């Protein structure tokens, strides 16, 4: 028995010692697939990985495992809903929830349309070759049916709004459908994406007020378009080498080494638009403080950006969620501050009446 235990202990020590050797023997590609042990915890990516195998390609097709794009579509909606709130009031949480569901569905539909147009291109780009359509995990017909389901659900969300907003929301569908084609004909597809992605800056206000106040909505919308030109140009730098080979155009290729100067100009235009929108709806100190914080964040992004490192471009791209959240918080606090200002203006009148 003692001899048997000794052999078992030696075997266990041998297995522990063999682990590093086994890891070293694996090819780098295999290590990349397996990766380090994942910590326990919840994330959308973990939810997609835990989904049933037949469902997983559809969740990946709508990029549910990469929520950064959904945030960037949703946040301009929150800005508009927040600015439309009454002084002293928080944004309408029902509308925020409704637009959140709409953002998930429309971002998913946009990604599906994009992959249907681009599946032949995606096969030739290292970063996109594993997408479900490019990899052959689902067929074009299956993705078309899935697209119909997403658009049907998005229509149900849209029909919860007023008539003005229903028409306004339906008008954005042409941009959603045509955006993926723009990279074939112009070096400015990011501009078309900005026009589509920031439609919520118009729609959020109209959903609350019944129509658009253009002195507020238009500067806000243009600010969002400028923001998209910043973050999606950064995003496009990840694929610029492959894009040159396959003949796809982007602002990253258009600007090339002058990218930082262009991004600085877009950022300045964004901040100007935000200030104009704030002035036209009587925003207050917390709002403008948030605009300053947004400017500082964008300046840091641009200054530290390395356009030749895809991992840095991805990191800067995803950090734009913080930009949008900063502004939304500033809008909420600015609205609450409006209540304090109105109370101060009413106080002398009340004092006069008491006398």
């Amino acid at each position: 028995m003692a001899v048997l235990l000794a052999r078992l202990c030696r075997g266990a020590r041998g297995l522990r010692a063999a682990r590093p050797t086994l890891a070293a023997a694996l090819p780098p590609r295999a290590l990349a697939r397996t990766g380090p042990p994942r910590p326990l915890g919840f994330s959308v990516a973990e939810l997609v990985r835990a989904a049933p195998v037949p469902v997983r390609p559809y969740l990946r097709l709508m990029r549910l495992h990469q929520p950064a794009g959904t945030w960037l579509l949703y946040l301009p909606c929150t800005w508009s809903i927040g600015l439309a709130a009454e002084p002293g009031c928080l944004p309408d949480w029902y509308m925020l929830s409704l637009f959140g569901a709409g953002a998930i569905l429309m971002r998913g539909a946009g990604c599906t349309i994009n992959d249907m147009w681009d599946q032949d291109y995606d096969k030739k780009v290292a970063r996109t070759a594993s997408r479900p359509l490019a990899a052959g995990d689902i067929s074009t017909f299956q993705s078309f049916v899935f697209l119909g389901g997403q658009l049907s659900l998005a229509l149900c969300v849209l029909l919860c709004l007023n008539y003005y907003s229903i028409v306004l929301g339906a008008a954005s569908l042409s941009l959603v459908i045509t955006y993926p084609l723009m990279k074939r004909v112009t070096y400015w597809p990011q501009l078309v994406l900005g026009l589509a992605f920031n439609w919520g800056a118009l729609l959020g206000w109209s959903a609350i007020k019944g129509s658009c106040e253009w002195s507020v909505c238009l500067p806000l919308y243009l600010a969002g378009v400028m923001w998209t030109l910043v973050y999606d140009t950064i995003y496009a730098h990840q694929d610029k080498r492959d894009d040159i080979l396959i003949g796809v155009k982007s602002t990253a290729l258009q600007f090339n080494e002058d990218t930082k100067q262009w991004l600085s100009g877009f950022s300045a235009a964004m901040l100007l638009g935000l200030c104009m929108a704030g002035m036209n709806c009587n925003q207050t100190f917390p709002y403008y403080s948030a605009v300053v914080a947004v400017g500082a964040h964008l300046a840091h992004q641009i200054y530290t950006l390395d356009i030749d490192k895809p991992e840095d471009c991805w990191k800067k791209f995803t950090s734009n969620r913080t930009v949008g959240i900063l502004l939304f918080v500033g809008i909420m606090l600015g609205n609450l501050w409006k209540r304090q200002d109105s109370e101060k203006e009413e106080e002398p009148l009340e004092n006069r009446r008491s006398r």
Side-chain angles (χ1 to χ4, degrees):
M1 181 63 73
V3 173
L4 180 59
L5 287 172
R7 287 179 179 175
L8 287 172
C9 289
R10 284 198 297 272
R13 285 196 297 270
L15 283 172
R16 286 195 296 269
R19 284 175 184 167
T21 306
L22 180 62
L26 285 171
R29 193 178 296 274
L31 284 173
R33 285 197 298 268
T34 56
R38 296 190 186 101
L40 293 175
F42 173 79
S43 69
V44 180
E46 291 291 342
L47 181 65
V48 172
R49 279 191 287 266
V53 174
V55 177
R56 210 175 297 162
Y58 295 97
L59 299 181
R60 290 178 54 240
L61 182 63
M62 63 186 297
R63 308 286 198 279
L64 198 64
H65 62 299
Q66 294 175 336
T70 304
W71 276 104
L72 296 175
L73 177 62
Y74 176 55
L75 284 164
C77 307
T78 69
W79 302 345
S80 190
I81 292 169
L83 287 173
E86 293 298 322
C89 297
L90 291 170
D92 188 319
W93 294 106
Y94 170 72
M95 283 296 175
L96 289 175
S97 303
L98 202 63
F99 274 75
I104 293 170
L105 291 167
M106 285 307 298
R107 194 266 178 136
C111 290
T112 303
I113 293 169
N114 182 80
D115 288 8
M116 289 172 69
W117 284 118
D118 286 356
Q119 55 185 304
D120 292 332
Y121 285 113
D122 287 345
K123 293 173 184 176
K124 302 173 185 177
V125 178
R127 188 178 59 82
T128 59
S130 62
R131 287 177 175 174
L133 269 170
D137 296 334
I138 54 176
S139 67
T140 302
F141 177 74
Q142 288 172 317
S143 63
F144 185 78
V145 173
F146 182 57
L147 173 63
Q150 291 176 93
L151 291 176
S152 298
L153 291 173
L155 178 61
C156 292
V157 173
L158 187 62
L159 292 175
C160 295
L161 307 180
N162 56 59
Y163 291 122
Y164 184 100
S165 300
I166 291 171
V167 174
L168 185 63
S172 68
L173 193 58
S174 59
L175 290 169
V176 176
I177 293 171
T178 57
Y179 157 69
L181 296 174
M182 293 298 106
K183 65 188 77 172
R184 294 161 169 79
V185 298
T186 177
Y187 280 99
W188 291 82
Q190 281 70 28
L191 177 60
V192 182
L193 179 68
L195 296 173
F197 245 53
N198 293 279
W199 205 259
L202 308 176
L203 198 57
W205 184 283
S206 71
I208 300 295
K209 299 288 192 180
S211 63
C212 284
E213 175 60 54
W214 293 108
S215 64
V216 177
C217 294
L218 192 57
L220 186 68
Y221 178 60
L222 294 177
V225 173
M226 295 297 106
W227 183 42
T228 302
L229 280 166
V230 172
Y231 65 66
D232 208 59
T233 298
I234 293 172
Y235 181 90
H237 270 286
Q238 297 178 100
D239 300 328
K240 58 187 175 184
R241 292 180 179 85
D242 291 322
D243 288 348
I244 292 170
L245 293 174
I246 63 179
V248 169
K249 300 175 175 66
S250 71
T251 49
L253 297 179
Q254 176 72 18
F255 304 152
N256 202 4
E257 296 303 318
D258 295 329
T259 290
K260 291 192 176 186
Q261 292 92 313
W262 281 92
L263 297 186
S264 299
F266 295 144
S267 298
M270 177 192 180
L271 298 175
L272 178 61
L274 293 177
C275 288
M276 288 179 62
M279 287 187 291
N280 289 334
C281 64
N282 301 315
Q283 268 295 340
T284 54
F285 175 75
Y287 173 83
Y288 295 107
S289 299
V291 172
V292 171
V294 164
H297 196 293
L298 291 172
H300 179 264
Q301 276 188 55
I302 296 167
Y303 181 76
T304 60
L305 173 65
D306 188 336
I307 59 174
D308 295 319
K309 288 187 177 180
E311 62 276 11
D312 187 58
C313 293
W314 175 256
K315 181 181 177 182
K316 296 297 192 301
F317 167 75
T318 56
S319 73
N320 278 277
R321 180 178 64 174
T322 304
V323 170
I325 292 173
L326 277 173
L327 185 60
F328 177 58
V329 171
I331 290 169
M332 287 197 298
L333 295 177
N335 268 357
L336 296 176
W337 193 282
K338 284 183 185 179
R339 183 72 176 176
Q340 295 179 8
D341 287 350
S342 62
E343 287 174 353
K344 287 179 182 177
E345 290 172 3
E346 291 171 3
E347 186 178 358
L349 180 61
E350 293 173 355
N351 290 340
R352 283 196 298 270
R353 285 176 179 172
S354 64
R355 287 198 295 269

